[in-house]
Amino acid sequence: MKLGIVGLTNVGKSTLFNALTGAGAQSANYPFSTVKPNIGVVPVPDPRLHELNKIYNAKSVIPTAIEFVDIAGLARGASKGEGLGNQFLAHIREVDAIVHVVRCFEDDDVTHDGEINPAADIEAIGVELILADMDLIEKRLSKAQKGGKHQVDKVELSALQKLSDALGEGKKATEADLDAEELAYAAQFCLLTLKPVLYAANVSEDDAAGTGAHAAAVREIAEAEGSGMFAVCAKSEEELSDLPEDERAEYLAELGVSGSGLAQLIEASYKLLGLISFLTVGPKEVRAWTIKEGTTAPGAAGKIHSDLERGFIRAEVVTYEDLLKYGSQPAAREAGLLRSEGKAYVVKDGDVILFRFNV
């Protein structure tokens, strides 16, 4: 999973990135401190792996991972050349979802354009994303309309025109009323306003649980859009990342929150993108694999290697809970809890699977 982090300048993007990834991105309270994108890869914490490894004592334990891409903060009017412009948006066209960090904290030491207004900030970033997409689509539409040697497909022209009309009206590409064929065509452009959005309300330490008015405004917008949302105090998360593991739970309890920002982000992003994890075990490795909810057994096998999908015979499946209870796959089989599933089986979160296949 790959997530792109966006936001206006001085909303705490790089501070949050530092806390989530430990990558040491430059963080400063003045605009444009992040010129090149910062990239960090973070393992997804999964306690199930460590519990299973108590049984298998594998040579390696491999969690799934999230890649974060943190781009420079955007200034209002970036598309018109304000600040450094929106040139940085190209760096996040390949991500699966956008994490939009919204300032929900008061701090006179950190500059901000006017009063703290999450709704206005969200709208400002939305405009920049729309204009960046419109620039791309207008160029493509102009080329298609000129024709020349390129034979323009009806689906292509229809999709481009619908996208151009919607973006020109200040709407997102998701509002362009594309049919299935047009949507499949549009996917090749990696449009920013077609991507799912997860709002990260960056709150103060006094509102770590995100119950204040600013966070509530973000939550209302997210619910109206069908987007994801979570509240996080980037400053506290950075402090948390510096603490020893055994002191972190106590620190979170003092803040009145149940989990770290990373844990909240993972949960929210998995839900937003419809992702689950299945597990594989053995003496060599205990490993988690991320797939889309609704993936069938052959598709899950293909996540490991394409040969497994092509030569798929069956999947031997046991739930994580049952495997942990009985201590081995043979014992789970004897108890009637290890199942043999075929090509139509839809993999569930926490399934521990052994794939049988022909080479």
Side-chain angles (χ1 to χ4, degrees):
M1 178 165 56
K2 191 173 184 179
L3 302 176
I5 305 177
V6 304
L8 292 174
T9 56
N10 299 327
V11 299
K13 280 190 320 81
S14 293
T15 300
L16 181 60
F17 176 84
N18 282 340
L20 294 175
T21 67
Q26 182 184 7
S27 177
N29 64 351
Y30 53 88
F32 318 121
S33 63
T34 311
V35 178
K36 294 182 179 179
N38 296 305
I39 298 174
V41 179
V42 181
V44 175
D46 193 336
R48 297 175 299 189
L49 295 176
H50 301 289
E51 291 300 317
L52 288 172
N53 198 43
K54 292 177 183 178
I55 298 173
Y56 290 91
N57 194 27
K59 292 180 180 179
S60 59
V61 176
I62 306 175
T64 188
I66 296 178
E67 181 177 331
F68 293 100
V69 182
D70 171 37
I71 65 168
L74 297 175
R76 297 178 192 276
S79 57
K80 299 177 182 178
E82 293 297 321
L84 296 179
N86 59 12
Q87 57 186 293
F88 309 109
L89 291 174
H91 295 302
I92 59 167
R93 285 209 177 272
E94 302 298 325
V95 301
D96 298 304
I98 291 173
V99 178
H100 181 172
V101 182
V102 185
R103 180 168 173 170
C104 294
F105 64 90
E106 306 279 351
D107 189 337
D108 293 337
D109 293 332
V110 181
T111 58
H112 189 269
D113 183 13
E115 295 182 356
I116 305 303
N117 186 335
D121 290 357
I122 288 172
E123 182 180 7
I125 289 293
V127 167
E128 298 306 325
L129 299 182
I130 287 170
L131 291 174
D133 281 350
M134 186 165 68
D135 182 58
L136 188 156
I137 291 300
E138 287 301 312
K139 289 177 181 176
R140 183 67 192 187
L141 179 60
S142 176
K143 183 177 180 181
Q145 288 174 333
K146 289 178 182 178
K149 294 181 180 179
H150 175 65
Q151 188 66 37
V152 182
D153 183 88
K154 288 183 179 179
V155 172
E156 177 183 353
L157 192 58
S158 175
L160 289 170
Q161 190 62 64
K162 286 183 180 181
L163 287 166
S164 176
D165 292 344
L167 294 166
E169 294 172 5
K171 297 177 181 178
K172 297 180 180 180
T174 51
E175 302 173 85
D177 194 29
L178 302 174
D179 63 28
E181 282 187 296
E182 292 165 344
L183 188 59
Y185 169 78
Q188 69 179 291
F189 299 118
C190 300
L191 297 175
L192 299 169
T193 59
L194 271 181
K195 297 182 184 299
V197 176
L198 176 60
Y199 291 106
N202 188 9
V203 297
S204 65
E205 290 179 294
D206 295 335
D207 186 32
T211 58
H214 292 324
V218 178
R219 188 173 292 106
E220 184 178 346
I221 291 170
E223 290 176 353
E225 293 180 354
S227 298
M229 180 270 182
F230 72 104
V232 61
C233 177
K235 183 178 179 181
S236 295
E237 287 296 319
E238 196 166 39
E239 293 172 359
L240 178 70
S241 64
D242 292 331
L243 291 176
E245 191 70 36
D246 58 352
E247 296 180 19
R248 294 183 181 183
E250 182 180 350
Y251 181 76
L252 290 171
E254 290 176 1
L255 292 174
V257 295
S258 57
S260 69
L262 178 60
Q264 293 183 71
L265 185 149
I266 290 169
E267 181 180 355
S269 57
Y270 267 56
K271 181 179 179 181
L272 179 68
L273 295 172
L275 301 176
I276 61 171
S277 293
F278 73 92
L279 313 167
T280 55
V281 295
K284 290 186 178 180
E285 67 177 33
V286 171
R287 184 165 183 169
W289 305 84
T290 299
I291 56 172
K292 280 277 190 181
E293 198 169 3
T295 300
T296 58
K303 181 73 175 181
I304 300 173
H305 198 285
S306 57
D307 287 348
L308 272 69
E309 183 172 9
R310 284 194 295 268
F312 179 88
I313 298 174
R314 67 180 184 277
E316 296 180 1
V317 184
V318 60
T319 67
Y320 161 75
E321 292 80 8
D322 287 338
L323 181 55
L324 205 63
K325 179 179 178 180
Y326 286 90
S328 71
Q329 286 154 307
R333 181 183 286 109
E334 288 181 16
L337 296 171
L338 188 145
R339 312 181 311 276
S340 181
E341 301 287 359
K343 292 182 177 181
Y345 178 70
V346 176
V347 175
K348 299 177 180 59
D349 186 64
D351 278 349
V352 182
I353 307 178
L354 174 62
F355 294 104
R356 300 294 186 184
F357 65 102
N358 284 320
V359 178

